Amino acid sequence: MAGMKKDHRKVFKYNILCRLFFCWIDPLLCVGCRQSLTQPDLYPHPHECDSSYLHNKFNEYWSEELSTRGSANTRLWWIILKCFWWRSLLIQTLTLILIAVFIAQSEILGLVTDYFSLEAPTADDTSTAYLYASLLILMSASMVFLNLVFYAGRKFGGLVRILLTNAIYYKVLKLSQMTLSHVTMGHVINIASNDVHRFDESMIFFPFFLVFPIHLCVVVYLLYLKIQWSSMVLVGVVLASIPILIVTSIIYSSFRFKAAAVTDNRIKVMNEIISGIRVIKIYRIW
């Protein structure tokens, strides 16, 4: 027993505070400073990240979608939402709480600054200012929720990437020989590595995209209480930027499609070159 290696995962206390402050990664950092991390040093992945579990769930909802809408009208985004609806709802709730705290923090900061504009503050004004300052300090702890939102979004994107990569893998196994003659292995690898990887980046900002209309309405209302109709200038600027963003996204997507076509062609040419090199080596050995 004395020669057995000490398992840091059992010694480490795993509670709610460690989840909030990401202290569970400290043992990995300590072990990584002494040696290279190996598979036994890592935490076991949760059951929800298992590829077989995600594949079974995806097949269930995919079969329902095929039976109701047909193969031509299937909605992949709806299937992803049905697979992870509770996680998406959790991220949206955390983001909404975070935005509400930020708005309240700005309002309380304005109330604190109003105290210093008083010429002769009374004792009640001073007590109220201290109360607002205390609330402002407590709300500064909301940055913990910001890290949780980004972590949950990153994990959400990772789950979607595992789900789609697994779906691509099983789809390739079911392709016919005629279809495989038109699809190279490099093309499949390009889809699984580059295109699916976009979900890791997009899911981080996904909750802010949905909460943005609520945030904008609340901010415009608060500005209207302060500066009346001049706050509509902000709405005009935001509405004017929407067409610019749409045009920019269309141009970017067109460039992405062109880059994907060039990448597929490059992978196809490289695959042919490698196949030719193999043939030459075979004849040379013969």
Side-chain angles (χ1 to χ4, degrees):
M1 297 295 292
M4 293 182 63
K5 185 178 179 181
K6 192 175 183 180
D7 192 356
H8 64 275
R9 297 173 296 179
K10 295 181 179 179
V11 177
F12 185 67
K13 299 296 182 181
Y14 197 67
N15 50 37
I16 186 63
L17 293 178
C18 296
R19 289 175 179 265
L20 288 175
F21 295 100
F22 301 97
C23 298
W24 48 268
I25 201 173
D26 291 341
L28 295 179
L29 297 178
C30 294
V31 175
C33 290
R34 297 192 300 266
Q35 62 183 18
S36 298
L37 292 177
T38 58
Q39 186 66 31
D41 296 328
L42 303 178
Y43 293 103
H45 68 276
H47 176 66
E48 60 184 5
C49 298
D50 190 59
S51 60
S52 60
Y53 169 75
L54 294 175
H55 176 68
N56 294 332
K57 182 183 290 188
F58 177 80
N59 278 343
E60 179 183 355
Y61 293 121
W62 182 261
S63 300
E64 293 179 1
E65 191 74 11
L66 288 177
S67 61
T68 55
R69 299 180 61 89
S71 59
N73 298 318
T74 53
R75 299 167 297 181
L76 182 60
W77 64 270
W78 181 249
I79 297 174
I80 295 175
L81 186 60
K82 290 173 70 175
C83 290
F84 307 108
W85 65 269
W86 68 269
R87 185 175 295 276
S88 177
L89 182 62
L90 176 62
I91 296 175
Q92 296 298 324
T93 304
L94 288 176
T95 307
L96 190 60
I97 293 174
L98 182 66
I99 296 300
V101 170
F102 282 167
I103 295 175
Q105 191 175 14
S106 62
E107 288 296 313
I108 293 176
L109 182 61
L111 294 175
V112 172
T113 55
D114 290 340
Y115 169 77
F116 295 99
S117 62
L118 298 176
E119 296 181 357
T122 61
D124 293 337
D125 294 334
T126 304
S127 301
T128 305
Y130 278 121
L131 178 61
Y132 289 152
S134 301
L135 290 176
L136 193 62
I137 294 174
L138 290 177
M139 287 184 177
S140 299
S142 62
M143 295 303 296
V144 177
F145 289 98
L146 180 62
N147 295 327
L148 288 177
V149 168
F150 281 111
Y151 171 73
R154 176 68 72 176
K155 188 175 181 180
F156 185 24
L159 290 175
V160 175
R161 178 170 53 85
I162 295 173
L163 178 69
L164 296 181
T165 305
N166 199 13
I168 293 172
Y169 172 74
Y170 281 98
K171 182 63 177 179
V172 170
L173 294 179
K174 297 178 181 179
L175 293 178
S176 61
Q177 292 295 330
M178 183 177 295
T179 305
L180 288 175
S181 61
H182 300 285
V183 178
T184 61
M185 186 59 64
H187 178 70
V188 177
I189 294 175
N190 182 39
I191 294 176
S193 60
N194 294 332
D195 298 339
V196 178
H197 180 67
R198 300 295 176 182
F199 285 94
D200 286 340
E201 302 174 355
S202 61
M203 290 302 172
I204 299 177
F205 306 101
F206 173 72
F208 295 96
F209 176 75
L210 297 180
V211 177
F212 170 73
I214 302 175
H215 188 195
L216 179 62
C217 294
V218 174
V219 170
V220 170
Y221 174 73
L222 294 176
L223 287 176
Y224 176 77
L225 296 179
K226 298 291 183 180
I227 58 177
Q228 300 301 320
W229 291 104
S230 299
S231 61
M232 294 297 107
V233 177
L234 174 64
V235 180
V237 172
V238 173
L239 294 179
S241 63
I242 291 177
I244 299 176
L245 294 176
I246 293 175
V247 172
T248 306
S249 62
I250 292 175
I251 296 174
Y252 176 76
S253 62
S254 64
F255 283 132
R256 282 294 306 167
F257 279 118
K258 292 179 181 179
V262 173
T263 303
D264 295 340
N265 188 24
R266 175 176 58 85
I267 293 174
K268 182 179 179 180
V269 171
M270 290 300 299
N271 189 30
E272 293 176 354
I273 292 174
I274 293 174
S275 300
I277 292 174
R278 289 176 179 174
V279 172
I280 293 174
K281 291 180 68 176
I282 290 174
Y283 278 104
R284 185 176 180 181
I285 294 174
W286 181 77

